[in-house]
Amino acid sequence: REQVYRALGRIAEEGFGMLGLPGELGGENDIPASILVFETLGFGDMSVLVKFGVQFGLFGGSILQLGTEHHHRTWLASVGRLELPGCYAMTEVDHGSNVRDLETEAHWDPEVEGFRIRTPHPGARKDWIGNAALHGRMATVFARLVVEGEDHGVHAFLVPIRDEEGRTMAGVEIEDCGAKVGLHGVDNGRLAFRDVTIPRGHLLDRFGQVTKDGRYESSISSPGRRFFTMLETLVTGRISIAAASVSAAKTGLAIAIRYSADRRQFGPSGKPEMPILGYLSQQRLLLPRLAATYGLHFAVRQLVERMGARSSHEDDPGIETLAAGLKVLASRNAQETLQACREACGGRGYLAENRLGTLRDDTDVFTTFEGANVVLLQLVARSLLSEYRDQMGELDLRGIIRLVSERAGAEVQRRNPIRSRRTGEEHLRDPETHREAFRFREQRLLSSVARRLKHRIDGEMDSFEALNECQDHVVSLGRAHMEAEVLDAFLAGAADAPDEDVRLVLESLAALWALERLEADRAWFLEAGWMEPPQSRALRGLVNRLCGELADQAVPLVDAFGIPDSVLRAPAAFGSGRPGRTREAGPGNGG
Amino acid sequence: REQVYRALGRIAEEGFGMLGLPGELGGENDIPASILVFETLGFGDMSVLVKFGVQFGLFGGSILQLGTEHHHRTWLASVGRLELPGCYAMTEVDHGSNVRDLETEAHWDPEVEGFRIRTPHPGARKDWIGNAALHGRMATVFARLVVEGEDHGVHAFLVPIRDEEGRTMAGVEIEDCGAKVGLHGVDNGRLAFRDVTIPRGHLLDRFGQVTKDGRYESSISSPGRRFFTMLETLVTGRISIAAASVSAAKTGLAIAIRYSADRRQFGPSGKPEMPILGYLSQQRLLLPRLAATYGLHFAVRQLVERMGARSSHEDDPGIETLAAGLKVLASRNAQETLQACREACGGRGYLAENRLGTLRDDTDVFTTFEGANVVLLQLVARSLLSEYRDQMGELDLRGIIRLVSERAGAEVQRRNPIRSRRTGEEHLRDPETHREAFRFREQRLLSSVARRLKHRIDGEMDSFEALNECQDHVVSLGRAHMEAEVLDAFLAGAADAPDEDVRLVLESLAALWALERLEADRAWFLEAGWMEPPQSRALRGLVNRLCGELADQAVPLVDAFGIPDSVLRAPAAFGSGRPGRTREAGPGNGG
């Protein structure tokens, strides 16, 4: 933990913590650059990455986005220089996903013109708070704002938790979360508050203020919408996690593919053994994941650019849905890819020096934090179920569903699936076929979910229960939408390739990804009548063929990630160590 | 490592290392009992489990099964009492899966009437050898037996590697494999031999002998078949790994399901939050895996009984295929189940104290060792492609395939898929429907693989290349066969239930498993015309409904595994720690 903290200090010294801050505070007002730093850190130690994210992204970001000028001037520069290490204290023991119902309280106290922060019971302790166990001196604490007995919903407050000598402040209780599955360099802790008093100016008051004389004011009248607006701080965090997940998957693939091109096992009788990347099963294990990782790379980069281009916080609200959805797809891809890479390297993959286990264990929690994946996919689906996200803030589904079910039905009828039933390779490889298939699935799922929800709600079922009965369907819709988004980004990325050869390879890779996704969901396409069995079988054959074609390009494709050898490190990526047969062994190669 | 070794000593003191040995050596001749000990150890520390397996299963087992009376009398009792700690040295740096081509050499030396064991190059070093880095004093070393320049193929030799004081023997080089992803208590090492001389009696000579005057003799004339016969030692090991995988999955499910029944999050407005096990997505994540784990439990138990019932080594050769296939299904199930359990517990699952990460990391390598899963599934498929395993030993496929493609074609034609197209729930829940579907798939895959291979081989393609082109198909066949076997065992297990209530629950569980497997592969069934889209959709609805029905039984079903609380340990399995709301917190519960 101390080593990781020192690394964070070095990164801050280089000025990387200041990138996202406004120019007048010495920053560069460049959040996209900050995300790219995060993406690059994702090739290295994940504990350093997470500490970076907590300090500059979550703690700094909450002050930047939920605070106003006073907060910015007072604290941001010292946060960016790591002079004020801090925490982002949202999650509680009893409330991880359902943060709207969290229970920490902030009572307005007119006597002191400030707030008393308190933890009403052990289940309301802040949990999993990065930087809390050791290094944090201040925390952005999310708590219910109570003024004269009236609960105005969750707001964010700056609460000092340690003094400059690192001693815990009076009234604050800090507990170490203890050993974790991974991220051993991150000091996660639990926080409890026994009537800790903070001044009025410590309320991050961009979306809700308390006047000196104790009146509550907000420009957003609905408490639900107000809270969802505050949660937007997580948008940058989710994009960052998506970016880091892509980096982790790239690292795993670089190790496993280079190993598989070198390692030989079995072969035709009387001939030398064959590199294991020549086996269809090994290609099937690695190449679709290589393709997915490229697709996610382009999708994340596009989203980061789109974020940089928007002029204000309220601009381009679609970013929020994309950030949630890409976080889901990228974290799941990292988890599955790293596991596949571990197995692809056999026993070599089980050696700690080859990093695959550590990478998997460190990134494992990416599927959980900054929003559990299954919850976020429902968020994506809900945003599709409504074009009006402020209405979604209220979770009132009835009216919206009626609207959508009518519109989506019409949309699906416009399409003619017969045209898609050809089995010829040219047709199956055509990006327009893929695009059409992905959008057809999204629209069809949207209309059928809407219909099923409407049916239940018309029958007076509670909307919560209705959603739960259709949960698998809702989750499928969220995933289908995100895959369609990734496909668009992938094709755009391929079209932007610097030269013709690269463009052709990227197009093959995009086709492999799209076809493998269609293959994985081919039962649905068969059920929906989008294709017939002959096409479905042709699809499988084509995925195999593309795997074979791309196997030759696999090493250049992972080398193109540009991970320096000294960062990649894993000996398995640098030959088997048998002299004369492969290129030079990497540092520390004992194999 | 020392702690684990002491634990192994305690287990040996209790006599558990002697269970599998013949009565005349003080054992009980009860290998099934020995596997049940292994299964039970699978609820605890996996390093202890693996050390137990290496010492008594692999090292002891190799002497028992590959040696003759002289070896048994000289060494077995001291192995069973852990007075002679040992290793099983098969895998080499360059040869893990393809062990038939391993390169360590054992030269007959007429001067000393013994063998010189040598490692010809670094790639031929023995790798991943458990007990080698620290505790082993002797190793069963697999090496090519060379007599007067003639290579008789791989045989097993007993080679002392350390003396009684633990000093490495002359000519032996031992290297520690170093830190691993898991199994930190197992001392894996690499071994190299520089002309280490051993006496003639150290050849484990049941299947091949060298006479005093240097003549090689064997009752098995084909070197290939001889080697495959020697590999049978791995059968017990594979069954044991399958059993331990089931135990690990049970532990994970007990933790995650008890947690999910207790943890509440979100809920209908104005009502208390709902236990997360009430959500369809959580049910979908856990209940099919609970069902799979029960199915594998019955399949492993049946196989262990069958093994106990056979009178000799050569009897009932089908056991070998089943052992390989169950090892694959059970290790994959453990890996996927433990990952699902980790995610099902959210952040709690990421705490080390809740064991899910450790269990996953420790059992991760189960998919690789004792035969990589993808290799073993091909072994299963090959055994189906031939009823004559001695022919398979030669890997000569041509004649066999011709035979099978004729027979299997006829088999499939006898079936009438129309009968299976009803969508009624009663029909879909009927175990006979499941059995028929599973066997239909197996037969159809068998005939189509045979046809595809025949087509290629008739066109003069090398059989190695032909198999690789059809590898995904071959692997699917292996899996389909094993799922059919597990279904039979599951239904038999349910039928044997001690009372009517238990039987009904187990039948529902078997139906859930079978239907979820059909659902996962429903594209194939649609392609094959076994079902039509309406039935496929009905299937999905029924899986959801069964998940909902069984959610109420989930806690009793994991409690029925009988894992004592003190062994289960994970605080997440013992309530959220919020006083008064749940049952008493377990030891060490900081949550």
Side-chain angles (χ1 to χ4, degrees):
Chain A
R1 287 172 169 188
E2 288 311 321
Q3 194 179 337
V4 165
Y5 189 60
R6 282 197 304 274
L8 192 64
R10 283 282 296 124
I11 291 168
E13 274 170 33
E14 299 285 340
F16 293 120
M18 301 293 286
L19 289 173
L21 301 188
E24 59 270 29
L25 298 173
E28 304 191 16
N29 203 20
D30 192 351
I31 288 178
S34 188
I35 296 174
L36 292 180
V37 169
F38 199 79
E39 181 183 314
T40 308
L41 290 173
F43 294 127
D45 184 305
M46 293 291 164
S47 290
V48 174
L49 172 106
V50 169
K51 289 280 273 191
F52 179 91
V54 168
Q55 173 68 17
F56 307 116
L58 294 174
F59 178 52
S62 63
I63 298 173
L64 181 66
Q65 292 176 32
L66 304 180
T68 47
E69 209 198 333
H70 151 69
H71 308 98
H72 296 178
R73 266 188 294 104
T74 314
W75 288 293
L76 273 185
S78 45
V79 173
R81 287 193 292 262
L82 195 59
E83 291 158 8
L84 179 64
C87 316
Y88 182 83
M90 178 176 276
T91 297
E92 295 177 355
V93 170
D94 280 355
H95 290 95
S97 291
N98 183 16
V99 284
R100 205 168 64 150
D101 285 352
L102 52 81
E103 299 172 283
T104 301
E105 296 163 6
H107 293 269
W108 170 251
D109 184 341
E111 300 287 312
V112 296
E113 286 188 10
F115 304 94
R116 279 183 295 107
I117 310 292
R118 53 186 300 268
T119 302
H121 60 82
R125 281 174 298 163
K126 294 296 176 185
D127 200 4
W128 281 104
I129 311 307
N131 269 355
L134 273 183
H135 301 126
R137 293 220 313 273
M138 188 175 263
T140 297
V141 175
F142 289 81
R144 316 199 74 80
L145 170 59
V146 183
V147 182
E148 290 182 30
E150 189 179 351
D151 180 344
H152 293 282
V154 174
H155 288 67
F157 303 84
L158 289 174
V159 185
I161 59 169
R162 286 192 182 83
D163 65 19
E164 303 216 349
E165 272 75 51
R167 288 170 301 217
T168 305
M169 304 294 269
V172 177
E173 287 165 15
I174 304 180
E175 187 182 15
D176 197 315
C177 286
K180 303 186 295 290
V181 174
L183 296 178
H184 303 302
V186 181
D187 55 321
N188 295 92
R190 292 187 196 95
L191 298 172
F193 305 97
R194 282 180 305 169
D195 287 308
V196 175
T197 302
I198 53 168
R200 194 174 69 97
H202 280 220
L203 167 64
L204 293 171
D205 63 353
R206 178 161 167 205
F207 300 108
Q209 308 85 35
V210 175
T211 63
K212 271 190 172 192
D213 54 348
R215 269 181 307 108
Y216 178 74
E217 290 174 348
S218 172
S219 56
I220 306 171
S221 56
S222 147
R225 228 187 87 212
R226 194 187 305 134
F227 181 62
F228 279 94
T229 305
M230 292 186 196
L231 283 185
E232 272 214 348
T233 325
L234 290 174
V235 172
T236 316
R238 286 175 184 156
I239 301 175
S240 300
I241 293 300
S245 298
V246 171
S247 299
K250 285 176 177 172
T251 302
L253 287 164
I255 295 166
I257 285 175
R258 287 168 64 159
Y259 175 76
S260 302
D262 177 68
R263 171 79 174 174
R264 292 166 181 268
Q265 206 75 180
F266 298 107
S269 57
K271 296 204 180 132
E273 288 181 291
M274 190 164 90
I276 57 176
L277 193 52
Y279 290 96
L280 181 55
S281 60
Q282 193 82 350
Q283 294 168 1
R284 274 276 182 173
L285 189 62
L286 295 173
L287 295 181
R289 292 183 167 99
L290 175 64
T293 301
Y294 261 92
L296 289 163
H297 165 92
F298 288 119
V300 169
R301 283 292 173 93
Q302 259 193 25
L303 181 56
V304 171
E305 276 169 33
R306 195 167 146 182
M307 212 183 157
R310 71 174 180 178
S311 53
S312 85
H313 200 61
E314 286 74 24
D315 201 22
D316 199 358
I319 285 180
E320 192 182 330
T321 306
L322 276 174
L326 280 182
K327 183 267 187 188
V328 173
L329 263 56
S331 61
R332 172 60 53 214
N333 179 62
Q335 191 58 30
E336 290 180 359
T337 297
L338 291 166
Q339 181 64 28
C341 291
R342 201 300 287 156
E343 294 180 23
C345 295
R348 288 293 289 277
Y350 200 61
L351 287 180
E353 64 179 9
N354 287 320
R355 300 182 62 206
L356 298 165
T358 308
L359 279 169
R360 184 194 59 194
D361 287 352
D362 283 350
T363 58
D364 180 4
V365 77
F366 289 10
T367 60
T368 297
F369 70 19
E370 311 255 348
N373 279 4
V374 71
V375 175
L376 292 185
L377 280 178
Q378 293 173 74
L379 191 113
V380 171
R382 279 162 180 236
S383 85
L384 294 173
L385 283 164
S386 164
E387 298 181 326
Y388 314 106
R389 63 175 287 289
D390 40 352
Q391 283 184 261
M392 290 318 295
E394 302 305 317
L395 299 175
D396 173 16
L397 285 165
R398 289 163 189 269
I400 314 160
I401 285 163
R402 229 158 254 147
L403 181 78
V404 175
S405 71
E406 288 158 21
R407 283 173 15 95
E411 172 75 13
V412 167
Q413 277 173 0
R414 273 211 314 279
R415 292 164 186 273
N416 177 6
I418 301 301
R419 136 155 184 35
S420 326
R421 288 191 190 164
R422 284 178 279 149
T423 62
E425 172 158 339
E426 202 188 339
H427 172 66
L428 282 180
R429 282 183 88 138
D430 184 352
E432 282 316 308
T433 306
H434 309 154
R435 236 195 268 265
E436 199 179 287
F438 279 45
R439 288 297 171 194
F440 168 77
R441 180 176 57 172
E442 177 185 331
Q443 291 301 324
R444 175 65 75 94
L445 284 170
L446 180 57
S447 91
S448 59
V449 167
R451 217 169 34 240
R452 288 182 63 193
L453 288 173
K454 182 173 179 298
H455 175 73
R456 282 166 175 74
I457 290 171
D458 285 350
E460 300 303 313
M461 189 184 275
D462 178 89
S463 75
F464 173 82
E465 206 180 321
L467 273 169
N468 193 33
E469 281 197 359
C470 305
Q471 200 180 26
D472 57 336
H473 209 142
V474 170
V475 166
S476 298
L477 169 61
R479 195 176 291 114
H481 173 68
M482 288 313 305
E483 290 190 346
E485 293 286 328
V486 170
L487 180 63
D488 286 345
F490 204 157
L491 293 173
D496 277 356
D499 68 53
E500 185 69 5
D501 287 349
V502 173
R503 184 177 62 75
L504 287 172
V505 172
L506 289 177
E507 281 173 1
S508 291
L509 211 51
L512 171 61
W513 180 71
L515 289 166
E516 192 272 341
R517 290 291 80 200
L518 294 180
E519 184 197 22
D521 211 10
R522 69 191 197 282
W524 185 90
F525 285 98
L526 287 165
E527 284 169 12
W530 190 84
M531 61 184 182
E532 301 285 327
Q535 200 186 23
S536 170
R537 279 189 293 263
L539 201 60
R540 279 158 58 197
L542 185 52
V543 171
N544 285 349
R545 213 147 54 245
L546 279 167
C547 280
E549 279 174 41
L550 284 161
D552 290 338
Q553 303 292 333
V555 171
L557 279 166
V558 297
D559 286 347
F561 293 146
I563 310 170
D565 286 0
S566 61
V567 174
L568 194 60
R569 287 199 325 275
F574 299 91
S576 67
R578 186 164 162 179
R581 206 181 63 180
T582 54
R583 58 167 155 156
E584 288 291 282
N589 185 350
Chain B
R1 288 171 170 190
E2 288 310 321
Q3 195 179 337
V4 164
Y5 189 59
R6 281 198 301 276
L8 192 64
R10 283 281 296 123
I11 291 167
E13 275 171 35
E14 299 286 340
F16 292 121
M18 301 293 287
L19 289 172
L21 301 188
E24 60 270 27
L25 297 172
E28 305 191 17
N29 201 20
D30 193 350
I31 287 177
S34 188
I35 297 175
L36 293 179
V37 169
F38 199 79
E39 179 183 315
T40 307
L41 290 173
F43 294 128
D45 184 305
M46 292 292 163
S47 290
V48 174
L49 172 105
V50 169
K51 289 280 274 191
F52 180 90
V54 168
Q55 173 68 17
F56 307 116
L58 293 174
F59 178 52
S62 62
I63 298 174
L64 181 65
Q65 291 177 32
L66 304 180
T68 46
E69 209 198 334
H70 151 70
H71 308 97
H72 296 179
R73 265 186 294 108
T74 314
W75 287 293
L76 274 184
S78 44
V79 173
R81 286 194 292 261
L82 195 59
E83 290 158 9
L84 178 65
C87 314
Y88 182 83
M90 179 177 276
T91 298
E92 295 177 358
V93 170
D94 280 355
H95 290 95
S97 290
N98 183 15
V99 284
R100 205 169 62 151
D101 285 352
L102 53 80
E103 299 171 284
T104 301
E105 296 163 6
H107 292 270
W108 169 251
D109 185 341
E111 299 286 312
V112 297
E113 286 188 8
F115 303 94
R116 277 182 297 107
I117 309 290
R118 55 185 300 266
T119 302
H121 60 82
R125 281 174 298 163
K126 294 296 176 184
D127 201 4
W128 282 106
I129 311 307
N131 268 356
L134 273 183
H135 300 127
R137 293 218 315 272
M138 191 177 261
T140 297
V141 174
F142 289 81
R144 316 198 74 80
L145 170 59
V146 182
V147 182
E148 290 184 29
E150 190 181 351
D151 180 343
H152 293 283
V154 175
H155 289 67
F157 303 84
L158 290 174
V159 184
I161 60 170
R162 284 190 184 85
D163 65 17
E164 302 217 348
E165 272 75 50
R167 288 171 301 216
T168 303
M169 304 295 267
V172 177
E173 286 165 15
I174 305 180
E175 188 183 15
D176 196 314
C177 286
K180 302 185 296 289
V181 173
L183 296 178
H184 302 303
V186 181
D187 55 323
N188 295 92
R190 291 187 197 95
L191 298 173
F193 305 97
R194 283 181 304 170
D195 287 308
V196 175
T197 302
I198 52 168
R200 194 174 69 97
H202 280 222
L203 166 64
L204 293 170
D205 63 352
R206 179 163 166 203
F207 300 109
Q209 307 86 35
V210 176
T211 61
K212 270 191 174 188
D213 54 346
R215 268 182 307 108
Y216 178 73
E217 289 175 349
S218 172
S219 55
I220 307 173
S221 56
S222 147
R225 229 186 87 210
R226 194 187 305 134
F227 182 62
F228 278 94
T229 305
M230 291 187 197
L231 282 183
E232 272 214 350
T233 326
L234 289 172
V235 172
T236 316
R238 287 175 182 157
I239 301 176
S240 300
I241 294 300
S245 297
V246 171
S247 298
K250 285 176 178 173
T251 301
L253 288 164
I255 295 166
I257 285 175
R258 287 169 63 159
Y259 174 76
S260 302
D262 177 69
R263 173 78 176 176
R264 290 166 182 271
Q265 206 74 181
F266 299 106
S269 57
K271 298 206 177 128
E273 289 181 291
M274 191 163 90
I276 57 177
L277 194 53
Y279 290 96
L280 182 55
S281 60
Q282 193 82 351
Q283 294 167 3
R284 273 275 183 172
L285 190 61
L286 296 173
L287 296 181
R289 291 183 168 99
L290 175 64
T293 302
Y294 261 92
L296 288 164
H297 164 93
F298 288 120
V300 169
R301 284 293 174 91
Q302 260 191 26
L303 181 56
V304 171
E305 276 169 34
R306 198 167 142 181
M307 213 185 158
R310 71 173 178 177
S311 52
S312 86
H313 201 59
E314 288 72 27
D315 200 23
D316 201 358
I319 284 180
E320 192 183 331
T321 307
L322 276 173
L326 280 181
K327 184 271 188 185
V328 173
L329 263 56
S331 61
R332 172 60 51 214
N333 179 63
Q335 192 56 29
E336 291 181 358
T337 297
L338 290 165
Q339 182 62 30
C341 290
R342 200 303 285 159
E343 295 180 22
C345 294
R348 290 292 291 277
Y350 201 61
L351 289 179
E353 64 179 9
N354 288 319
R355 302 183 61 208
L356 297 166
T358 308
L359 278 168
R360 185 195 58 195
D361 287 352
D362 284 350
T363 57
D364 181 3
V365 78
F366 288 11
T367 59
T368 297
F369 69 18
E370 313 253 348
N373 279 3
V374 71
V375 175
L376 293 185
L377 281 177
Q378 293 173 74
L379 190 116
V380 171
R382 280 162 178 237
S383 86
L384 295 172
L385 283 164
S386 165
E387 299 182 324
Y388 314 104
R389 65 176 287 287
D390 40 351
Q391 283 184 259
M392 293 314 297
E394 303 306 314
L395 299 174
D396 173 17
L397 284 165
R398 289 162 189 268
I400 315 159
I401 284 163
R402 227 157 256 145
L403 180 80
V404 175
S405 70
E406 289 158 20
R407 282 173 16 95
E411 172 73 13
V412 166
Q413 279 175 0
R414 274 211 313 279
R415 293 165 186 274
N416 177 6
I418 303 301
R419 142 159 179 30
S420 325
R421 287 191 188 163
R422 284 178 279 151
T423 64
E425 172 157 341
E426 201 185 341
H427 172 65
L428 282 180
R429 283 184 87 138
D430 184 350
E432 282 316 310
T433 305
H434 309 153
R435 236 195 269 265
E436 201 179 287
F438 279 45
R439 289 296 171 193
F440 169 76
R441 180 176 56 171
E442 178 186 331
Q443 290 302 322
R444 175 66 74 98
L445 286 170
L446 180 57
S447 92
S448 59
V449 167
R451 218 170 31 241
R452 289 182 63 195
L453 288 174
K454 182 173 178 299
H455 175 73
R456 283 166 175 75
I457 289 171
D458 284 351
E460 299 305 311
M461 189 183 275
D462 177 271
S463 74
F464 173 81
E465 206 182 318
L467 273 168
N468 193 32
E469 280 199 1
C470 304
Q471 198 180 27
D472 58 336
H473 209 142
V474 170
V475 166
S476 297
L477 168 61
R479 195 177 291 113
H481 173 68
M482 287 313 305
E483 289 189 348
E485 292 287 327
V486 171
L487 180 63
D488 286 345
F490 205 157
L491 293 172
D496 276 355
D499 68 53
E500 184 70 4
D501 286 350
V502 173
R503 185 176 63 75
L504 287 173
V505 172
L506 289 177
E507 281 173 0
S508 291
L509 211 53
L512 171 60
W513 180 71
L515 289 166
E516 192 271 340
R517 289 292 79 199
L518 294 181
E519 185 197 22
D521 210 10
R522 69 193 196 284
W524 185 89
F525 285 98
L526 287 165
E527 285 170 12
W530 191 84
M531 63 183 181
E532 299 285 327
Q535 198 186 25
S536 170
R537 280 189 292 263
L539 201 60
R540 278 159 58 197
L542 184 52
V543 171
N544 285 348
R545 212 147 57 247
L546 278 168
C547 279
E549 280 174 40
L550 284 161
D552 291 339
Q553 303 292 332
V555 171
L557 279 166
V558 295
D559 286 348
F561 294 145
I563 310 170
D565 286 0
S566 61
V567 174
L568 194 60
R569 289 198 326 274
F574 299 92
S576 66
R578 184 164 163 179
R581 206 180 64 179
T582 53
R583 60 169 152 154
E584 286 294 284
N589 185 351

